[in-house]
């Protein structure tokens, strides 16, 4: 039994602590079942999970991510570029498994209950599944790292994902040596966490206090 | 202590079981703290939470949702319209509290680490916060119902949300008599859940088996 709040507050976006050790099949099944138990607009369950273990495919993706990292670095002011340099952005090669989560807008179409006014509602559902996966993995002693330095079309081509289906996340998953107490980006001085009180508004939107 | 998997699998999208009983302040604080502990692209934490208790504001929103319900119903084939008719789509008036979750793309701009290639990555972060909130609420004995029958501009106007900030969800939150074992839409014959095995692909996308 794992405490929900413990999983929520210990969870980290992992880049550097993967061991590469195997994930027992029943563990992976519990984690994917948790993802699949997420809520979805109109009960459409528009997600799919592609499990990528192949080293060659992962190396190809990793090279693409490195390119995108350079593209991003080139947009930064010198001081930001300096802070970005030591930050590791992925664990694609070191993690045991990659799970690519996709969104299929045709699932349950044409009449997806609850999606007529908000086209993105199906995309939101896929994200809810990702958070369930992430918390279950944390509870199981696994780390998860979300890689978003990629072009969706590149990933479609790499994994044979049809044109109408959208890749939402590349998740690195696997056993880790430990979870850091402080998020990587905060440890590296990239950005500080915001106090919860600033995010809460009573009854109506209230502008942020002057910085 | 509440088991993570218990919360994940008992969680429901609640429409009809709200009691309207008060939510103790420490409980609400734990639930919102859970939401705020979600991962976010570039540690941008782009979400805000507007707590709506005012009965007049909720009644106005409810009337708008009813209109959108009619708009959706008019698009349905006769047999689907018949199945849709008895399905309650919201608990706006009966729930204790409404929590409107928004996404602010300017938070942490211009250089949000991890968002240069995928503009929607910040929107995804707001959804991860919603799932944390939902699970924590479930663990605390509260129900959550996500209302998506609304126009974003209407909700902006109603709550004074700035043009650049996007409403992502209207969540009805509060104590409930019980959580249903089967999702409402399945109980009402709208749609059945998909087996997990159909959502899993090994190494590459595999087309669905013929229906």
């Amino acid at each position: 039994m794992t405490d929900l709040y413990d999983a929520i507050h210990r969870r980290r976006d992992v880049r550097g602590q993967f061991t590469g050790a195997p994930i027992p099949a029943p563990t992976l099944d519990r984690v994917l079942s948790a993802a699949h138990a997420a809520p979805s607009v109109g009960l459409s369950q528009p997600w799919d999970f592609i499990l990528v273990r192949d080293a060659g495919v992962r190396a190809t993706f990793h090279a693409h991510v490195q390119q995108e990292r350079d593209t991003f670095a080139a947009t930064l002011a010198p001081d930001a570029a300096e802070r970005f340099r030591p930050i590791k952005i992925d664990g694609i090669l070191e993690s045991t498994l990659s799970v690519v989560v996709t969104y299929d807008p045709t699932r349950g179409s044409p009449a997806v209950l609850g999606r007529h006014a908000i086209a993105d509602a199906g995309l939101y559902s896929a994200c809810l599944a990702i958070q369930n996966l992430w918390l279950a993995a944390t509870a199981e002693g696994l780390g998860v790292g979300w890689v978003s330095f990629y072009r969706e079309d590149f990933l479609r081509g790499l994994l044979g994902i049809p044109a109408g289906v959208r890749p939402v996340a590349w998740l690195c998953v696997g056993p880790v040596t430990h979870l850091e107490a402080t998020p990587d980006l905060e440890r590296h001085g990239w950005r500080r966490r915001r106090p919860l009180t600033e995010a809460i508004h009573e009854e109506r939107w209230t502008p942020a206090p002057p910085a």
Side-chain angles (χ1 to χ4, degrees), chain A residues 19-101:
Chain A
T19 67
I23 305 173
T27 306
L28 184 60
D29 188 58
R30 283 193 296 272
V31 169
L32 294 173
S33 298
H36 195 61
S40 60
V41 64
L43 201 57
S44 54
Q45 301 182 298
W47 48 71
D48 284 87
F49 309 105
I50 309 174
L51 312 184
V52 182
R53 303 171 192 270
D54 185 89
V57 171
R58 291 201 279 168
T60 304
F61 185 68
H62 179 67
H64 171 72
V65 166
Q66 289 306 303
Q67 256 181 353
E68 289 298 327
R69 179 196 176 107
D70 295 344
T71 303
F72 177 68
T75 67
L76 297 174
D79 63 318
E82 192 60 33
R83 275 179 295 142
F84 180 53
R85 211 159 37 82
I87 302 178
K88 185 169 166 63
I89 61 163
D90 74 84
I92 299 164
L93 302 179
E94 301 88 356
S95 62
T96 306
L97 175 72
S98 290
V99 180
V100 176
V101 182

Side-chain angles (χ1 to χ4, degrees), chain A residues 113-163:
Chain A
L113 198 160
R115 211 182 68 187
H116 81 286
I118 299 170
D120 281 341
L123 198 54
Y124 299 167
S125 304
C127 297
L128 304 181
I130 291 170
Q131 185 61 4
N132 270 9
L133 183 157
W134 209 326
L135 294 175
T138 305
E140 299 283 355
L142 307 176
V144 173
W146 183 326
V147 182
S148 60
F149 277 77
Y150 64 85
R151 301 289 161 176
E152 294 178 2
D153 275 342
F154 179 89
L155 188 47
R156 274 198 197 90
L158 185 66
L159 301 182
I161 299 169

Side-chain angles (χ1 to χ4, degrees), chain A residues 194-209:
Chain A
R194 179 184 190 219
L196 171 60
T197 49
E198 284 183 20
I200 295 178
H201 307 243
E202 299 286 344
E203 300 296 347
R204 285 176 68 77
W205 182 273
T206 39

